[in-house]
Amino acid sequence: MKLDGSRESDNVEDRRGDGGGGGSGSNLFGGRSIGIGTIVIALVGGWALGINPLTILGMLSGGGGGGGSAPTAQVQSAPTSDTRADDPMKHFVKQILGSTEDVWKDVFAKGGATYRNPKLVLFRGATPTACGQGQSAMGPFYCPADEKVYIDLGFYETLKTRLGAPGDFAQAYVIAHEVGHHVQNLLGITNKVDQKRGQVSKTEYNALSVKLELQADCLAGVWAFHANNARQMLEQGDVEEAINAAAKIGDDALQRGSGQAVVPESFTHGTSAQRQRWFGNGIKTGTVKACDTFAAREL
């Protein structure tokens, strides 16, 4: 990616020196605050703890019934960049977030609406959120209650070394996907899906979750389309990096990689092919209209 001279967002909150922990609040998985890494924890958690990844997936998607908080698998956070002013990873994150702000401000304005910037929180280990206790084990996620994206940069090492999805544009795709969830929140889509919780079966709700996640993939593609048109930031191989990342974190790929049978009814994010296809829809068309996964006859 060519990011030289790109504007850095002022909406990044660095909590990496806070020591993590603290906070309780509501159950994070009780609402729509599950991000791109939720299924990744199922795989990594299974490797680290010897737990059946499908069991973890059930926890994260709200399965198992009961009204208490869902258990969260503990995975050691990988080392991340420090909090110095010359921290290159922090600069990268601020540049990508700044780019999403510019793109979505323009897209919303053309649609006669006003875009409200989200905050992005860098943390290590654990951090309090308005959706409950956030942990590195969850992977990057978006909390609609406080309109913040949360990421432990150690996730990028997991993406690269454990999941085989390296590259700066793969990293940018992760941020753009979570910002896509923010766009859905502003448009009222997230709330509509949440209202179905408890009204439909677990399988039906999982299907809605898949559509929500695939739409966020598509919205990440929309961002990439407009950002590249504005600054010609994409270099050879960048799109392939994002497509590869989308493939590596498909529900079917993660279940297969963990040595388990593929169980479509348990999917919450979509297959590798679906995630690739919807990101492709966004980056090819650059239109939000092309991201209507809820009206699509076939995902």
Side-chain angles (χ1 to χ4, degrees):
M1 295 182 68
K2 293 182 291 186
L3 294 174
D4 292 346
S6 296
R7 182 182 71 85
E8 294 188 8
S9 172
D10 294 326
N11 293 308
V12 173
E13 180 183 349
D14 195 343
R15 299 182 187 173
R16 290 175 296 172
D18 292 351
S24 54
S26 60
N27 176 12
L28 182 65
F29 302 112
R32 171 50 51 187
S33 49
I34 300 176
I36 198 169
T38 300
I39 48 176
V40 175
I41 172 51
L43 179 62
V44 176
W47 283 343
L49 305 174
I51 298 173
N52 183 334
L54 296 185
T55 301
I56 301 177
L57 279 171
M59 295 175 185
L60 301 192
S61 60
S69 298
T72 303
Q74 303 293 318
V75 176
Q76 183 65 37
S77 174
T80 62
S81 303
D82 60 30
T83 57
R84 297 174 304 175
D86 61 349
D87 178 354
M89 200 65 232
K90 183 174 180 179
H91 286 300
F92 172 81
V93 168
K94 294 177 75 171
Q95 286 176 313
I96 297 302
L97 186 64
S99 177
T100 66
E101 291 169 348
D102 295 342
V103 165
W104 287 114
K105 178 181 178 181
D106 185 58
V107 170
F108 269 57
K110 288 179 179 177
T114 301
Y115 181 67
R116 188 165 60 246
N117 294 334
K119 295 279 188 179
L120 187 149
V121 178
L122 300 176
F123 73 100
R124 284 193 179 106
T127 193
T129 84
C131 295
Q133 181 77 339
Q135 298 192 26
S136 302
M138 298 167 184
F141 63 92
Y142 170 71
C143 173
D146 57 21
E147 297 189 355
K148 293 182 180 181
V149 172
Y150 292 84
I151 181 170
D152 183 325
L153 295 179
F155 173 79
Y156 285 148
E157 187 63 24
T158 297
L159 193 66
K160 175 183 176 181
T161 60
R162 294 192 181 185
L163 297 174
D168 53 2
F169 194 60
Q171 296 171 342
Y173 155 70
V174 169
I175 296 172
H177 173 97
E178 298 308 331
V179 172
H181 283 309
H182 177 63
V183 172
Q184 291 171 317
N185 187 38
L186 296 181
L187 295 177
I189 299 170
T190 306
N191 186 53
K192 287 182 179 179
V193 171
D194 276 344
Q195 289 175 355
K196 295 294 183 180
R197 185 182 296 274
Q199 299 179 12
V200 298
S201 69
K202 173 98 171 354
T203 299
E204 290 173 316
Y205 191 82
N206 283 350
L208 290 173
S209 177
V210 166
K211 291 179 180 181
L212 198 72
E213 294 296 338
L214 293 178
Q215 186 176 64
D217 282 333
C218 185
L219 294 173
V222 171
W223 158 74
F225 174 92
H226 291 286
N228 188 55
N229 279 355
R231 300 190 59 85
Q232 290 75 53
M233 68 174 186
L234 295 181
E235 299 177 301
Q236 185 174 0
D238 279 346
V239 173
E240 288 76 13
E241 287 177 4
I243 292 293
N244 177 54
K248 297 297 185 182
I249 56 178
D251 285 320
D252 54 340
L254 289 173
Q255 290 182 359
R256 241 182 246 112
S258 67
Q260 303 296 318
V262 174
V263 184
E265 293 79 10
S266 71
F267 291 174
T268 56
H269 286 62
T271 67
S272 295
Q274 289 169 337
R275 301 199 73 162
Q276 289 175 310
R277 184 182 310 124
W278 283 98
F279 175 79
N281 284 354
I283 200 170
K284 288 173 186 175
T285 66
T287 65
V288 175
K289 185 178 180 180
C291 298
D292 190 356
T293 54
F294 294 90
R297 292 184 178 181
E298 184 178 351
L299 295 177

